[in-house]
C-alpha cells in the first residue's frame, strides 16, 4: 500500500520547503543558545548549503539572524521564537 505524504498544515496554510527550513533554522539557533557555524547548521538541518544560505538570507532580511561566521539570532529573533513557542503552548492548552 503506498504511503501518502501530506505537507505540513497550520490553520489551513501549507508550508513550503523553504519555510520549513527557515523555521528549522530559527529553532536550531534558539535551542542551541549560542551562535552556530554553517557546517553545524547544515548537518543539523540536513539540507544543502545553497538552501541554508537562502534561509539565512531570508531571515537576515527580516532581522532575525546575523549573517557571518558563526550565524546567530538577534535579540528580536530570540523574542520572536520565544513568543511563537509561548503562543503555541497557550493554543494547545485552550
Amino acid at each position: 500500500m503506498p504511503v501518502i505524504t501530506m505537507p505540513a498544515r497550520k490553520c489551513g496554510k501549507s508550508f513550503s520547503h523553504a519555510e520549513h527550513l527557515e523555521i528549522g533554522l530559527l529553532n536550531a539557533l534558539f535551542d542551541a543558545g549560542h551562535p552556530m557555524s554553517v557546517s553545524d547548521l547544515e548537518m543539523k538541518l540536513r539540507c544543502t548549503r545553497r538552501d541554508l544560505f537562502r534561509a539565512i538570507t531570508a531571515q537576515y532580511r527580516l532581522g532575525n539572524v546575523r549573517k557571518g561566521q558563526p550565524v546567530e539570532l538577534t535579540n528580536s529573533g530570540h523574542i520572536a521564537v520565544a513568543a511563537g513557542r509561548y503562543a503555541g503552548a497557550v493554543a494547545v492548552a485552550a
Side-chain angles (χ1 to χ4, degrees):
M1 182 174 246
V3 176
I4 299 171
T5 58
M6 299 291 287
R9 294 182 63 81
K10 182 73 173 172
C11 299
K13 178 184 177 189
S14 294
F15 292 118
S16 69
H17 174 70
E19 290 171 328
H20 274 289
L21 194 56
E22 290 175 27
I23 293 167
L25 168 69
L26 294 175
N27 282 324
L29 290 170
F30 186 85
D31 291 338
H34 57 80
M36 294 179 71
S37 70
V38 172
S39 299
D40 291 341
L41 285 169
E42 191 177 11
M43 285 189 335
K44 183 156 182 86
L45 298 174
R46 295 181 181 168
C47 64
T48 63
R49 191 160 288 214
R50 181 179 187 164
D51 288 342
L52 179 60
F53 280 127
R54 285 183 180 170
I56 290 170
T57 301
Q59 290 303 311
Y60 172 76
R61 288 184 187 139
L62 294 172
N64 292 330
V65 297
R66 288 189 186 97
K67 283 169 79 171
Q69 187 65 309
V71 180
E72 61 181 319
L73 275 178
T74 60
N75 289 336
S76 62
H78 187 81
I79 292 168
V81 173
R85 288 185 176 187
Y86 177 74
V90 170
V92 170

